[in-house]
Each structure stands twice: as C-alpha cells, then as structure tokens.
Amino acid sequence: MDRRIEKSKQAIMDAFTKLMLEKDFEKITINEIAELANVNRGTIYSHYVDIFDLLNQCIENHLNKLFENCQPRGNDNNISGKDSLCKTFKYLEQNAFFYSKMLMSKSITAFRNRLHALMVKSIEEQIDMSGINKDVNKEIMVQYFASATIGVVEWWITNSMPYSAEFMAEQLLSLMERYQNVRST
C-alpha cells in the first residue's frame, strides 16, 4: 500500500480513537475526525463508507492487535496458558483507555460481539474435549468459558484494573483449573 495512503488511514484512525475516548460515538462527526486528522472529508470517505465502517475497521484493528500480541510467535509454540493470559492482560492494561470505552459504551455492541467471537475461536482451538470433558457439549463449554472470561476482563477494566495483569492471569487460570477439579469429582 502507498505510504501516503497508509499514513492518512492511520491519522484518521488515531483521530477517531482519540475522539472516542473524549465523547460518545453518537456525538462524533466526520468533520471532527477530518479536522483532528488534518485531512479533508473526502479523504475519509475514500477509505471508509461512513462512520460505522470506520468504527468497524477500528474495532477490527484493535482486536487483531490484541490477538496478535497474545498468541505465540514463530517458534514460541510452547507458550503456557498462564503466559498467554498474562500477555493478554498486559496488552489490555496498556490499551485500557480504548478497551474501557468500548466495553462501557452501551451503543457499541459490535465490539463486545467481535471480542466474544475472537474469544470463542481461541478457546475452540485450545480446549481439550477428552478425559473429563468428553461428556460435555463442546459448543456449550466454549461459550461458557468465552462469556466468563469476557465478563472477568470487563469487570477488571471497568473497575480501573484493581489487580495486576499477572494476578488476573493467575486467578483466571486457577478458576479454569478449578472447574476441571470440580468436574472430576
């Protein structure tokens, strides 16, 4: 992609994100985004259909970065569940303003839905349905863990992250392991 196009798109995305941290999505205008990004309205419309398309691409961009940051890289396939969770919480901590706004905004259900879909995909790839899990419906189990995890993340972020990323990763992993112990008794 042309560097100028990439630079314009990044400026638009940054301006949009900055405005979302300052005000509700419904109150943001294309003119405000253009002014803050130092581009004209036409430039925005050349990259995005409308403000909803910009929102969707912004969400997609942030969730892709979250997913990329929290997955093993290259030869790092032996990353533990705790390490993966810890990386996830640290990334969320570093980008707390954006994720807080997205999770607390009642009008932006698209974010929560995409986060849930991403979580479901990740859990489906990692969940072991043998042993004590063989009698549990995989779809229900995946939905349970995805919803519970998102609920914990949402609580942590909206309550100003009262515990460290490491502590949250340990606690969430402990809860998942506890489920395994409860199921085996």
Side-chain angles (χ1 to χ4, degrees):
M1 182 182 298
D2 185 326
R3 293 174 88 190
R4 291 172 296 173
I5 292 172
E6 190 63 38
K7 189 175 179 180
S8 291
K9 286 183 83 169
Q10 189 61 51
I12 293 166
M13 194 70 70
D14 290 346
F16 181 62
T17 301
K18 184 176 188 307
L19 287 168
M20 287 194 59
L21 298 176
E22 296 172 1
K23 56 176 31 178
D24 290 334
F25 168 72
E26 298 82 15
K27 295 181 180 177
I28 298 172
T29 67
I30 292 292
N31 285 338
E32 289 174 310
I33 297 166
E35 186 176 317
L36 191 56
N38 199 26
V39 299
N40 63 44
R41 289 174 51 94
T43 301
I44 294 175
Y45 286 116
S46 71
H47 299 298
Y48 308 98
V49 174
D50 56 21
I51 198 162
F52 297 100
D53 183 37
L54 176 56
L55 173 64
N56 284 333
Q57 289 191 40
C58 183
I59 289 170
E60 195 70 30
N61 185 33
H62 278 276
L63 290 178
N64 284 339
K65 286 180 183 176
L66 172 66
F67 189 72
E68 289 167 11
N69 259 333
C70 304
Q71 294 301 309
R73 287 183 184 45
N75 297 334
D76 195 15
N77 289 331
N78 295 327
I79 190 169
S80 71
K82 181 181 174 187
D83 291 339
S84 180
L85 279 172
C86 195
K87 286 173 73 173
T88 301
F89 276 102
K90 283 182 179 180
Y91 180 81
L92 291 169
E93 190 174 49
Q94 292 167 354
N95 296 278
F97 287 120
F98 175 80
Y99 287 100
S100 174
K101 184 69 172 183
M102 290 291 104
L103 289 168
M104 291 194 302
S105 177
K106 301 293 184 223
S107 62
I108 306 179
T109 56
F111 177 77
R112 200 166 200 288
N113 292 342
R114 287 215 186 124
L115 180 61
H116 187 268
L118 182 69
M119 186 68 63
V120 164
K121 181 180 178 212
S122 179
I123 291 171
E124 280 176 337
E125 292 171 359
Q126 297 175 31
I127 201 161
D128 177 12
M129 293 307 296
S130 63
I132 64 168
N133 293 336
K134 69 179 183 226
D135 296 331
V136 179
N137 179 287
K138 182 176 182 177
E139 183 178 16
I140 293 171
M141 187 174 207
V142 167
Q143 291 296 323
Y144 170 80
F145 279 122
S147 297
T149 301
I150 290 171
V152 168
V153 166
E154 189 172 11
W155 169 84
W156 182 65
I157 289 174
T158 58
N159 284 285
S160 303
M161 298 169 287
Y163 303 104
S164 71
E166 293 85 1
F167 182 78
M168 291 303 296
E170 289 170 5
Q171 291 297 298
L172 194 54
L173 191 60
S174 178
L175 288 170
M176 290 177 185
E177 289 169 350
R178 188 166 292 178
Y179 170 78
Q180 296 293 337
N181 290 334
V182 169
R183 285 281 301 144
S184 62
T185 58

